[in-house]
Amino acid sequence: MVFLVFAHPYPDRSRANRHLLDAVSDLEGVEVRSLYDEYPTFDIDVPREQAALTRADAVVWQHPIYWYSTPSLLKHWFDKVLLRGWAYGEGGTALRGKRCLWVATTGGDEDAYRPEGMHNRPFEAYTPVVEQTAVFCGMRWQEPLIIKGAHRVPEPALNEYAQNYRARVAALVKQGAAA
Ligand SMILES: Cc1cc2nc3c(=O)[nH]c(=O)nc-3n(C[C@H](O)[C@H](O)[C@H](O)COP(=O)(O)O)c2cc1C
């Protein structure tokens, strides 16, 4: 099973993430958790989340980039769910060996993520925190899927990203079944 953790504060107003999510949510073997729909008061059901992660062979984190990072509810999910003695530290082996795919969209386009651009640095300068969160828990970091300039990506390109995403998630399901 692939556990897809989706964190968009305004799923009804999303263009890019909605498109991407629609491309994978009907895949067999994918369990979607829309954090802002399920936990609007930030009251995360930790045992439920840990049970889903335990069942999963792979984990996907999908969200728009907010202030160079995850939306706050996904950060809160990290804080509450990825506990010492469970996800890391002594006896903390629950996530070890599971693949982790990061799927994120940005408002800034390629030009914005250049040294002389609006965001001053390449996007990769902002990625180590999320990557290391997964790696610290013993997960196998996959090549992330990052869609830059999400507001202006033309429909055909967005479709292509969505199909690529579908193929990546289908492959994760297959790898899990074969493991
Ligand atoms: C509070 C907030 C913070 C944001 N911070 C960033 C940012 O740091 N970098 C960036 O490129 N885009 C930023 N954005 C733009 C979003 O990433 C963009 O709206 C989103 O990826 C579009 O996807 P959607 O159509 O699924 O909403 C921000 C947007 C909001 C509302």
Side-chain angles (χ1 to χ4, degrees):
M1 185 272 269
V2 172
F3 185 43
L4 196 164
V5 180
F6 177 66
H8 197 303
Y10 313 103
D12 298 342
R13 286 189 240 153
S14 162
R15 172 183 179 243
N17 280 279
R18 169 59 45 199
H19 204 98
L20 293 167
L21 189 65
D22 285 350
V24 296
S25 48
D26 70 322
L27 280 172
E28 208 174 314
V30 176
E31 187 175 325
V32 177
R33 178 85 81 249
S34 178
L35 292 184
Y36 281 89
D37 286 320
E38 303 247 356
Y39 303 118
T41 59
F42 278 51
D43 193 9
I44 292 172
D45 183 341
V46 174
R48 179 182 181 227
E49 297 305 302
Q50 290 184 339
L53 286 166
T54 301
R55 283 198 308 279
D57 302 294
V59 180
V60 177
W61 293 328
Q62 186 197 327
H63 62 88
I65 293 291
Y66 273 21
W67 287 110
Y68 308 105
S69 187
T70 66
S72 50
L73 183 50
L74 181 55
K75 174 61 169 59
H76 188 55
W77 184 93
F78 292 160
D79 297 347
K80 300 298 281 188
V81 178
L82 307 181
L83 295 178
R84 186 157 64 90
W86 187 81
Y88 70 94
E90 205 182 320
T93 56
L95 302 175
R96 198 166 286 173
K98 296 178 194 279
R99 290 180 171 83
C100 181
L101 173 64
W102 186 34
V103 182
T105 65
T106 73
D109 59 14
E110 289 289 349
D111 278 342
Y113 284 101
R114 289 189 204 283
E116 68 284 3
M118 187 191 294
H119 297 304
N120 284 323
R121 291 177 173 82
F123 183 74
E124 291 67 32
Y126 300 105
T127 63
V129 170
V130 174
E131 176 174 344
Q132 183 57 23
T133 300
V135 171
F136 193 68
C137 297
M139 290 197 271
R140 286 193 270 171
W141 188 246
Q142 308 294 293
E143 182 64 33
L145 186 59
I146 308 297
I147 289 112
K148 299 201 188 93
H151 304 299
R152 287 179 298 277
V153 171
E155 206 68 11
L158 196 52
N159 285 335
E160 209 170 302
Y161 281 122
Q163 286 318 306
N164 180 16
Y165 184 25
R166 186 177 172 86
R168 297 281 307 273
V169 174
L172 289 175
V173 173
K174 211 165 160 190
Q175 282 160 343

